[in-house]
Amino acid sequence: MPDAEDVRRIALSLPDTTEKIAWSMPTFRVAGKMFATLPEDETSIAVRCPKEERDELVLAEPGKFWIADHESQFAWVRARLRAIEDEAELRDILADSWRQAAPTRLLDAHPRLGLPAE
């Protein structure tokens, strides 16, 4: 089961990512744009996710994903760390969120990062 240190290590391994405390919690940003947070007691993560996909994730895996009330109008979803299968799944979740926040120059420089394996 991944933990907060795994989140931090993997997030910071993504290109041009920094960690910044905001709202009294660690946030991870690519080129200054937030793509992940470690809210509350660091037992979950919040990541960017298009609303349509987010709703499907929550319906498909309600024990893993949920939408925090104060984030319902935004394209973010929460994931319980204890429900994430392994580091590979955590990396996929974080990299997908990174892609949604990364500027074009980074997407062009890392075209396969965060995309499903072919």
Side-chain angles (χ1 to χ4, degrees):
M1 169 183 81
D3 62 19
E5 286 309 308
D6 296 320
V7 171
R8 182 170 281 109
R9 178 176 44 79
I10 292 169
L12 291 173
S13 76
L14 298 170
D16 204 14
T17 294
T18 58
E19 181 176 352
K20 179 181 179 182
I21 300 297
W23 307 286
S24 301
M25 70 178 134
T27 66
F28 300 92
R29 299 160 188 257
V30 56
K33 194 168 180 183
M34 191 165 45
F35 71 91
T37 69
L38 270 166
E40 290 92 33
D41 57 3
E42 298 187 353
T43 61
S44 68
I45 56 173
V47 292
R48 290 176 173 268
C49 185
K51 287 184 180 180
E52 309 77 42
E53 291 177 30
R54 173 188 77 175
D55 296 342
E56 289 176 17
L57 280 174
V58 171
L59 285 172
E61 297 184 79
K64 184 181 294 185
F65 298 103
W66 87 98
I67 303 165
D69 291 340
H70 68 281
E71 294 169 344
S72 63
Q73 71 272 27
F74 303 108
W76 285 77
V77 69
R78 300 276 182 107
R80 292 172 181 86
L81 291 176
R82 65 175 159 67
I84 294 175
E85 192 172 311
D86 54 23
E87 281 194 29
E89 183 181 20
L90 177 60
R91 177 174 288 284
D92 288 347
I93 291 168
L94 289 169
D96 181 64
S97 186
W98 179 91
R99 281 193 69 73
Q100 293 173 60
T104 304
R105 68 177 171 78
L106 285 174
L107 295 174
D108 290 346
H110 304 278
R112 300 298 312 152
L113 184 63
L115 295 178
E118 293 179 358

